[in-house]
Amino acid sequence: MVNEALTEFTAQTPPGSVAAPWWLSFAVLVYGALLVAAFMIYAQTDHQGPAKVIWVLIIALVPILGAIIYFIAQSLRHRRENRPG
């Protein structure tokens, strides 16, 4: 049954192309979602000086990890600025 499904799937791909593995498609989807979320938070945050350009470069050029680093940095900044007392 699995062999039949795999044969049918590969028959549907154009000649000379390779079907992308599921994990690659999932990684691209996760990267896209993180990228959109990071840029949404970036647009709502007031950055000063060269940090504006640096954060855009980090988010855009470091796949997945750049967005995660930005989320952590902004969480720490928010906690530091909104400390009670």
Side-chain angles (χ1 to χ4, degrees), residues 47-85:
H47 294 285
Q48 303 296 324
K52 289 181 177 183
V53 176
I54 292 171
W55 277 123
V56 168
L57 292 175
I58 290 173
I59 293 168
L61 298 179
V62 182
I64 299 176
L65 192 58
I68 292 171
I69 290 169
Y70 182 70
F71 293 142
I72 292 170
Q74 290 307 309
S75 294
L76 293 174
R77 177 182 171 196
H78 179 74
R79 287 182 184 175
R80 185 177 55 243
E81 291 176 357
N82 297 312
R83 214 178 262 169

Side-chain angles (χ1 to χ4, degrees):
M1 181 164 175
V2 173
N3 259 350
E4 294 170 3
L6 185 58
T7 303
E8 185 177 330
F9 179 71
T10 54
Q12 293 175 358
T13 58
S17 67
V18 178
W22 68 269
W23 56 267
L24 183 60
S25 300
F26 182 73
V28 169
L29 183 67
V30 167
Y31 175 61
L34 284 173
L35 197 63
V36 168
F39 279 125
M40 287 176 66
I41 293 172
Y42 176 83
Q44 297 173 1
T45 306
D46 182 33
H47 294 285
Q48 303 296 324
K52 289 181 177 183
V53 176
I54 292 171
W55 277 123
V56 168
L57 292 175
I58 290 173
I59 293 168
L61 298 179
V62 182
I64 299 176
L65 192 58
I68 292 171
I69 290 169
Y70 182 70
F71 293 142
I72 292 170
Q74 290 307 309
S75 294
L76 293 174
R77 177 182 171 196
H78 179 74
R79 287 182 184 175
R80 185 177 55 243
E81 291 176 357
N82 297 312
R83 214 178 262 169

